[in-house]
Amino acid sequence: LLSRRCFDYGVTMIPMNKIVSKAIPQEKLKLIEQISNGEAKLALDLIKFDDQYRTAMQFVFGSTFICPTSEIAHKLAFNESIRVKCVNLDGDIFDPTGLITGGASRPGESILKRVVDLSIIQEKISNNKRSILESKKELDEIVKGQKKINEFTNQLNGLKAQANEYDKDKILGKI
């Protein structure tokens, strides 16, 4: 690709088998959760991709957090115990090296905010689907129970009718 000049601009390529990504320690994740009140989301968790690209995605997005506000992004990026790259919903980047990139925003709503909102909506849809399935199972159980009640009611009515016939025969037999 490079020798045939397939790109009109400079590119950097890393072979998939050479990529090494580091997981964020659980203690740090808990601290991030605590400081952000659960509002900071790992960028990797907000995007969908084919599992065969997991290593590359972890390399690119694995330690970047999406934060709803600049304040939270600043706290996480520059906290000595955390020091992770953060991006707020306006697209400003807070890098623990000390760089803050951004400042100019286009009119309209931020794409990152829409991605986060979409993720929240998708989670709500998933929860609602689970709730509907649970309700359907409960309804099916209720319908089964109602059928059994109807069967028992029919059996009881049949037994009552037999008892009435038996009582009539007994009375007629005495006369």
Side-chain angles (χ1 to χ4, degrees), residues 57-68:
M57 298 304 251
Q58 284 175 324
F59 179 76
V60 174
F61 299 108
S63 62
T64 301
F65 282 82
I66 308 300
C67 302

Side-chain angles (χ1 to χ4, degrees), residues 112-127:
L112 288 175
K113 178 162 178 21
R114 287 191 279 172
V115 168
V116 170
D117 290 346
L118 179 62
S119 175
I120 291 168
I121 290 169
Q122 287 173 330
E123 187 176 328
K124 286 180 180 178
I125 289 171
S126 179
N127 289 340

